[in-house]
Amino acid sequence: MTKGDQYTKETFERILNEGCWDKNPRPHYKDGTPAHTISVNHIFHTYDLTKGETPLITLRPIAIKSAIGEILWIYQDASNNLDLLRDKYGIKWWDEWDIGDRTIGSVYGETIREYDLVNKILLEGIKNDPDGRRHILSMWQYSQFEKKHGLKPCAFETHWNVRHGRDGIDYLDMKLIQRSSDFATAGCINQMQYLVFMLMIARHLGYTPGRFTWDCTNVQIYDRHMEQVKEMLNREPIDCNPEIILNEEKTNFYDFTPDDVEIKGYPKKLIKEKNPQLNFEIAI
């Protein structure tokens, strides 16, 4: 199994065995029913990319291209515009959080644009001070929350460090801080999209991708996802060793597209046959 399969099964088991049910949830389903969750606090997954470890799972198909498009919409386009997300990347699920002007409000990409975070913190900051320990990109900006907005960011902060390896190679390590994870639906997706984001920044800066870590404060399973989770726990992972490869011709972060990301050794057809897609009702 992949490292992602291993972590996914362990996390599901921990939530089911140790988790606590909420009492007054904010989210609800489309029919108006409160969307209750069972959850645990403080989950930590780490991957050594030099050993081929990846968050990719084989327990169900994962829409990798869409996940990459979403991350580029936030950090490359620095946008909160839903029409751009739909027209450029074919993604529509964010429409549930339209605040009425075809945006999701003053969050995510608008925060990146408002503070010029990618350029200042990453592309310029790491380049000018590679040994610095202050390369922290945070979208948790209270001044933005005072404006009209929909959903506060879930995956909201990344920490970046250059590590001068004893093997003579300079590595770029990154940790993603996430306040909340609808794990059955997006646990793998969030980790994969940020890992690809890390690969692109490492390529831009000329570093070798090192360790990627996902640090989540609250990890939950929704009440209407319980049967799907039990199904995934009963499934057998497919033996494979996925490799994520960026287009060798691209070196500038702003030039990458989802089509510049190739995943080798990931048997999509076999996964669809043995572990077919599951439907997850979204809580809003």
Side-chain angles (χ1 to χ4, degrees):
M1 67 176 70
T2 66
K3 193 71 174 287
D5 284 326
Q6 175 189 332
Y7 277 141
T8 295
K9 288 211 169 196
E10 290 174 354
T11 301
F12 281 153
E13 290 282 7
R14 181 175 169 188
I15 294 173
L16 294 178
N17 293 332
E18 304 174 18
C20 298
W21 285 97
D22 58 14
K23 295 181 179 180
N24 300 296
R26 177 198 58 79
H28 59 277
Y29 298 110
K30 280 188 176 181
D31 62 9
T33 304
H36 287 278
T37 62
I38 183 173
S39 68
V40 295
N41 294 332
H42 304 172
I43 296 289
F44 185 93
H45 298 170
T46 191
Y47 307 87
D48 188 339
L49 305 188
T50 67
K51 296 180 180 178
E53 296 176 350
T54 170
L56 266 174
I57 64 173
T58 65
L59 301 172
R60 71 177 181 91
I62 299 296
I64 303 299
K65 293 293 184 181
S66 296
I68 296 170
E70 182 181 74
I71 207 73
L72 293 179
W73 175 61
I74 295 171
Y75 289 99
Q76 189 187 82
D77 300 313
S79 176
N80 63 350
N81 186 277
L82 293 169
D83 291 332
L84 175 65
L85 182 64
R86 178 197 61 204
D87 296 342
K88 189 172 182 179
Y89 303 109
I91 298 172
K92 300 179 181 179
W93 77 269
W94 272 100
D95 287 358
E96 300 288 353
W97 286 272
D98 183 352
I99 64 171
D101 60 359
R102 293 303 293 158
T103 79
I104 55 172
S106 302
V107 290
Y108 285 105
E110 182 168 310
T111 304
I112 297 298
R113 182 176 67 251
E114 177 79 15
Y115 297 96
D116 197 19
L117 294 177
V118 169
N119 292 319
K120 289 181 179 178
I121 302 297
L122 303 184
L123 304 186
E124 297 170 10
I126 298 174
K127 178 182 177 180
N128 296 331
D129 183 19
D131 291 326
R133 293 184 285 269
R134 300 176 180 180
H135 305 307
I136 300 172
L137 190 160
S138 178
M139 290 188 287
W140 199 265
Q141 304 287 345
Y142 277 95
S143 60
Q144 295 295 102
F145 300 158
E146 293 173 353
K147 303 177 184 179
K148 190 174 182 181
H149 72 279
L151 185 67
K152 288 183 173 64
C154 294
F156 71 94
E157 186 168 288
T158 50
H159 297 194
W160 306 73
N161 295 90
V162 174
R163 171 169 47 92
H164 306 297
R166 293 188 177 186
D167 54 6
I169 298 175
D170 290 335
Y171 297 95
L172 182 64
D173 298 332
M174 188 261 269
K175 179 166 74 169
L176 166 64
I177 308 293
Q178 189 163 340
R179 66 173 176 84
S180 172
S181 174
D182 173 2
F183 194 71
T185 303
C188 172
I189 291 173
N190 288 150
Q191 293 181 62
M192 275 301 302
Q193 61 188 176
Y194 273 87
L195 186 150
V196 170
F197 179 39
M198 172 187 168
L199 296 181
M200 292 177 177
I201 296 298
R203 172 69 65 79
H204 183 105
L205 295 170
Y207 292 113
T208 297
R211 296 189 183 99
F212 168 72
T213 297
W214 179 73
D215 188 347
C216 191
T217 303
N218 181 266
V219 185
Q220 68 271 170
I221 298 172
Y222 279 87
D223 52 0
R224 293 187 181 180
H225 298 171
M226 295 297 286
E227 293 306 313
Q228 294 92 322
V229 167
K230 292 175 182 177
E231 168 64 22
M232 290 173 71
L233 281 171
N234 287 328
R235 288 180 171 182
E236 287 295 326
I238 295 171
D239 187 26
C240 62
N241 187 27
E243 183 180 6
I244 305 166
I245 301 173
L246 299 184
N247 184 342
E248 293 183 357
E249 297 180 358
K250 299 289 182 72
T251 58
N252 187 309
F253 170 65
Y254 291 105
D255 290 339
F256 283 106
T257 72
D259 290 335
D260 290 315
V261 181
E262 181 183 3
I263 301 177
K264 292 186 176 181
Y266 188 61
K268 294 181 181 179
K269 184 177 180 180
L270 183 60
I271 292 170
K272 289 181 180 179
E273 291 174 355
K274 290 196 171 183
N275 294 326
Q277 190 57 275
L278 300 165
N279 293 320
F280 296 93
E281 186 172 355
I282 295 177
I284 304 169

